[in-house]
Amino acid sequence: MSKTILISGSTKGFGRAWTEAFLEKGYKVAATARNIESLNDLKAKYGDAILPLTLDVNNREDSFAVVRKVQEHFGTIDILINNAGYALNGAVEEASEKEARAQFETNFFGTLWLTQAVLPIMRNQKSGHIIQVSSILGITTLPNLGLYNATKFAVEGLTETLSQEVKQFGINVSLVEPNGYVTDIWGNGFNSENIPVYDGIRKAIADGHDPDTFGKTSATVPAIVKLVEAENPPLRLFLGKVALPFAKQTYEQKIATWEEWADVSVAAHG
């Protein structure tokens, strides 16, 4: 049977590539974005198989309304892919309150609102698959992306918990954790306040840039199709060749530190 997929952030990067791939596979796709004009070509080609819907995921009420429209139109929602998001560049000290809140509103709360909206539908169906697009930076961190790192760590914690809560209803949950890819997510620019003492870090990052560490968006299509078609999908799926080595290095360092301080930790138990 053809699956119905609701995907946010569908007009650029991963979202666009995956939306087109799902349509080519014969799935029904509800594709949301702030501006859906760039989906006109897909609408012309695939007709009723695609339902483009304008959505700002920051708005909880609108997120619930969109989910209702999708259910009314297609009759079901089999898969939710929370893909909408962006990266705020800059040191932690540089982020304004407005910028910090906006980063969490989109990357974390936008994910939460759509997740909450589809859960009653999936519970009633006794089936469904929620896929959260996280990042390798939800597992480990890089400087100059502190607020982005924080949102993805939050998505990781939310999703791990969710997977434990909804398995009983036949709902699968997955975290997709890409390493760096060449997408528009990095086009946000630096924070409004640029504190010169952090220029050295910025220069070191720029000087150390290796294009080979950034994957090609189109190459992720077979992986995401395999994920949505999996009978027993994993909780976590890395995308790219850099993510796993980076994660291993990070956890080896964490474990070494925890073990070094183990006596102190145990003594603190009382």
Side-chain angles (χ1 to χ4, degrees):
M1 291 178 63
S2 174
K3 293 183 179 181
T4 298
I5 300 173
L6 168 57
I7 180 170
S8 65
S10 64
T11 58
K12 297 178 181 179
F14 292 138
R16 170 71 190 209
W18 297 349
T19 295
E20 194 159 2
F22 296 145
L23 291 166
E24 288 176 359
K25 292 283 290 183
Y27 299 148
K28 299 170 185 176
V29 181
T32 79
R34 293 192 182 197
N35 185 343
I36 58 175
E37 287 184 9
S38 62
L39 296 174
N40 289 345
D41 61 326
L42 296 183
K43 182 64 178 175
K45 183 176 180 179
Y46 294 101
D48 291 341
I50 181 171
L51 177 65
L53 292 167
T54 301
L55 175 64
D56 177 355
V57 296
N58 295 3
N59 189 310
R60 187 177 191 270
E61 185 177 336
D62 288 354
S63 294
F64 276 72
V66 157
V67 166
R68 287 194 295 270
K69 287 179 184 177
V70 176
Q71 185 186 28
E72 290 167 4
H73 185 83
F74 287 125
T76 183
I77 300 174
D78 300 302
I79 298 166
L80 167 66
I81 302 179
N82 275 309
N83 173 64
Y86 71 97
L88 179 68
N89 295 286
V92 170
E93 186 181 354
E94 293 175 324
S96 69
E97 179 181 353
K98 181 179 179 181
E99 289 164 338
R101 291 186 182 278
Q103 180 78 126
F104 269 88
E105 285 291 345
T106 299
N107 291 9
F108 177 74
F109 286 106
T111 294
L112 175 59
W113 304 150
L114 280 176
T115 298
Q116 290 181 330
V118 302
L119 280 171
I121 296 169
M122 291 183 174
R123 280 194 289 103
N124 289 336
Q125 294 171 175
K126 295 183 172 56
S127 67
H129 189 184
I130 297 172
I131 299 172
Q132 321 284 42
V133 180
S134 179
S135 169
I136 181 60
L137 299 184
I139 292 173
T140 186
T141 63
L142 288 174
N144 212 52
L145 285 164
L147 273 297
Y148 177 76
N149 294 333
T151 63
K152 294 304 184 180
F153 267 71
V155 167
E156 293 271 334
L158 177 80
T159 305
E160 273 195 26
T161 306
L162 178 69
S163 69
Q164 299 168 44
E165 294 172 345
V166 301
K167 192 70 176 176
Q168 62 181 315
F169 307 123
I171 301 171
N172 293 309
V173 180
S174 297
L175 283 155
V176 172
E177 299 157 331
N179 54 219
Y181 278 81
V182 182
T183 73
D184 290 341
I185 194 174
W186 310 112
N188 181 61
F190 287 92
N191 297 314
S192 55
E193 181 182 7
N194 189 335
I195 302 175
V197 294
Y198 296 106
D199 288 347
I201 291 176
R202 281 187 272 272
K203 184 177 185 304
I205 293 170
D207 291 347
H209 176 70
D210 180 1
D212 187 53
T213 63
F214 283 76
K216 297 178 181 178
T217 303
S218 59
T220 67
V221 166
I224 203 70
V225 169
K226 187 170 185 177
L227 180 64
V228 301
E229 293 182 346
E231 207 169 304
N232 295 298
L235 174 59
R236 286 192 161 81
L237 175 66
F238 282 137
L239 296 181
K241 67 180 183 181
V242 177
L244 182 55
F246 194 8
K248 282 183 174 180
Q249 180 186 45
T250 297
Y251 274 88
E252 285 169 1
Q253 292 171 347
K254 287 183 177 182
I255 290 169
T257 301
W258 288 326
E259 288 181 341
E260 181 183 352
W261 285 77
D263 291 345
V264 177
S265 303
V266 172
H269 187 77

